[in-house]
Amino acid sequence: MKTGPFVPAPQWPTPSDEVLLHRAKSFYETMQLRRTVRDFSDCSVPRKVIEDCIRAAGTAPNGANLQPWHFVAISDPELKRQIRVAAEIEEGFLNGILGRPPHEKPFLLLVVGHPAEAAMVPNIFRKPLEEISSFRTGEG
């Protein structure tokens, strides 16, 4: 995909360190509550919500602005069931079920829905920051 001429970068106010720290902590606390859910309610997620999430994902930086992605949103319960069954058996199954071309390589299956009222989730423990990160500085 070609890029057009350069335009000025969007300008937005630079938040203070205090605001950044608050936002980061709030985001972390929200993400800390996430769990893998396998039991979903019948309450659907509005299509507009899914569309806006895909639009947001489509803004991700990418090499040479190639935008090398294609999102497939599935609402058909039987198709979702087939994907769940196949996912538990093997990798590389999505192209066949979804009729996608062989040059597309699925690399993320994102499940969206509301948990069932009595859904159970694993009692997990996450690795501490020291185990999942390294910080390199110019200080040696």
Side-chain angles (χ1 to χ4, degrees):
M1 169 169 285
K2 287 187 166 186
T3 60
F6 285 87
V7 296
Q11 299 294 311
W12 51 63
T14 303
S16 68
D17 287 351
E18 182 178 301
V19 168
L20 290 174
L21 288 168
H22 174 75
R23 288 180 184 171
K25 182 177 182 183
S26 176
F27 181 72
Y28 168 72
E29 288 170 352
T30 299
M31 294 299 101
Q32 185 69 358
L33 298 174
R34 293 182 310 163
R35 294 292 186 272
T36 297
V37 175
R38 293 180 185 236
D39 299 314
F40 292 90
S41 74
D42 292 334
C43 181
S44 65
V45 175
R47 180 174 171 148
K48 178 73 171 121
V49 171
I50 304 296
E51 289 173 356
D52 284 345
C53 290
I54 292 172
R55 278 189 192 95
T59 68
N62 57 96
N65 196 34
L66 293 176
Q67 301 177 46
W69 40 66
H70 182 89
F71 301 91
V72 179
I74 301 159
S75 59
D76 180 297
E78 175 54 25
L79 194 53
K80 291 193 283 188
R81 187 197 66 75
Q82 290 177 35
I83 291 169
R84 180 176 178 186
V85 167
E88 291 176 358
I89 296 171
E90 67 170 302
E91 297 291 327
F93 58 89
L94 282 175
N95 290 59
I97 291 175
L98 298 177
R100 301 303 309 160
H103 71 274
E104 290 184 6
K105 304 295 181 215
F107 63 91
L108 176 66
L109 181 60
L110 180 63
V111 179
V112 178
H114 300 281
E117 197 166 315
M120 299 293 289
V121 297
N123 182 18
I124 61 172
F125 299 93
R126 295 196 170 98
K127 293 180 179 179
L129 181 65
E130 299 78 31
E131 288 186 39
I132 62 170
S133 64
S134 298
F135 294 87
R136 302 287 305 260
T137 66
E139 300 169 6

